[in-house]
Amino acid sequence: MGGSAAAESAAGKNVNGGERAQLRVPLPQPRPFLDTFRANLKETFFPDDPFRAVVRERGAGRRAAAALRYFFPFLEWAPAYTLSTFKSDLISGITIASLAIPQGISYAKLANLPPILGLYSSFVPPLVYAMMGSSRDLAVGTVAVASLLIGSMLGAEVSPTENPALYLHLAFTATFFAGVFQASLGLLRLGFIVDFLSHAAIVGFMGGAATVVCLQQLKGMLGLEHFTTSTDLASVMRSVFSQTHQWRWESVVLGSGFLFLLLITRYFRLAASSGRPWWRGKEAA
């Protein structure tokens, strides 16, 4: 019986192997070059097919409403907005405003612009994005690196103290064309270009940006009135140590105190999130 079972098993394997050998994967029919090229363009520029919801609707009126909901996403969630959601948004808005307002003023000072422009950049972009944006986690507004670059490039051509009106006009022109360029990238669906940036380039940019921002804070930490607009290390160090007679100990003490407060607050927050008492250190972990 054992020999017959083995023979049947071997015969079954041979039959299955023959069936498997006869199976063939059908090759797709060759497509015309224009169809292939059109499909590749659609996959590259419109991978998520943004107008799918519009095309599925029947009737001109419903398609127009779907198109409006696509370009203005608030039309989709505004009808279901509740009072409890408003309370949460109000608390979140107050919390973010307490950070964004002084941050915007600081960024305006980095670009050698009036502080009122920093206030505008703090609340105007979020208001616009709330109506036209679809992401709940995207931060909208100015950044320190862009402010430093604007101050450095424009300061090399026009002095913000000697000719503030021309400097302000140049800043408006530079930001306008930057917005046009970014809007063109969005309309042309060129976000895939970011995929070609290597991890090393992104990490280097982030590290260099942090270093530039820290070096620019030496002006306020030391109480200097005249500081270089360049962002390289040599220019910043030359500007700092060539004005040692203008260092103010009050600014140093105040800046160091606030820096210590930020670091100790961060330590307490990490200790609270880990669930161990801060006064026992690592032994309680």
Side-chain angles (χ1 to χ4, degrees):
M1 294 180 63
S4 60
E8 291 178 359
S9 176
K13 289 182 179 179
N14 292 333
V15 172
N16 293 335
E19 292 179 354
R20 293 176 183 176
Q22 293 177 0
L23 293 178
R24 293 290 186 271
V25 178
L27 297 177
Q29 295 294 330
R31 301 172 59 185
F33 172 75
L34 291 179
D35 293 345
T36 306
F37 183 71
R38 190 182 302 109
N40 292 335
L41 284 181
K42 183 178 180 181
E43 184 180 358
T44 301
F45 293 100
F46 298 98
D48 53 350
D49 195 3
F51 300 106
R52 182 185 302 135
V54 179
V55 176
R56 288 178 177 177
E57 297 292 341
R58 296 182 179 179
R62 301 187 64 177
R63 287 187 176 182
L68 286 177
R69 286 195 300 268
Y70 175 76
F71 288 104
F72 301 97
F74 80 96
L75 295 175
E76 185 173 353
W77 54 260
Y81 200 74
T82 60
L83 183 60
S84 60
T85 307
F86 173 75
K87 293 179 180 179
S88 302
D89 288 344
L90 180 62
I91 296 175
S92 302
I94 294 175
T95 305
I96 298 301
S98 63
L99 171 66
I101 291 177
Q103 189 178 56
I105 296 175
S106 302
Y107 289 162
K109 297 297 290 182
L110 287 177
N112 298 319
L113 295 172
I116 188 64
L117 298 181
L119 293 177
Y120 289 152
S121 66
S122 299
F123 67 86
V124 173
L127 287 178
V128 176
Y129 189 79
M131 301 295 104
M132 304 184 65
S134 58
S135 175
R136 299 181 179 181
D137 306 313
L138 182 63
V140 182
T142 55
V143 292
V145 179
S147 302
L148 287 172
L149 289 177
I150 288 179
S152 176
M153 290 187 298
L154 299 184
E157 302 295 333
V158 179
S159 174
T161 56
E162 297 178 359
N163 199 345
L166 180 58
Y167 184 87
L168 191 60
H169 291 166
L170 290 178
F172 287 156
T173 305
T175 52
F176 172 76
F177 281 107
V180 170
F181 184 71
Q182 291 182 350
S184 302
L185 291 178
L187 293 175
L188 296 177
R189 314 284 292 184
L190 297 179
F192 68 92
I193 296 179
V194 182
D195 298 335
F196 295 98
L197 298 178
S198 64
H199 180 70
I202 296 176
V203 172
F205 173 78
M206 295 174 60
T211 303
V212 169
V213 172
C214 292
L215 291 176
Q216 291 295 321
Q217 301 307 310
L218 294 177
K219 175 183 178 181
M221 287 278 294
L222 301 176
L224 300 177
E225 296 182 0
H226 304 285
F227 203 70
T228 179
T229 57
S230 302
T231 56
D232 58 287
L233 179 62
S235 299
V236 172
M237 292 294 101
R238 188 184 304 110
S239 179
V240 168
F241 289 103
S242 63
Q243 305 180 69
T244 54
H245 59 283
Q246 295 184 3
W247 290 6
R248 300 179 59 183
W249 65 269
E250 299 92 342
S251 301
V252 176
V253 172
L254 186 63
S256 302
F258 275 109
L259 181 60
F260 176 76
L261 179 63
L262 290 175
L263 293 176
I264 199 67
T265 305
R266 179 177 179 272
Y267 174 77
F268 288 155
R269 180 180 62 82
L270 294 177
S273 61
S274 62
R276 59 181 175 85
W278 60 269
W279 61 85
R280 297 187 60 181
K282 298 182 179 180
E283 297 178 357

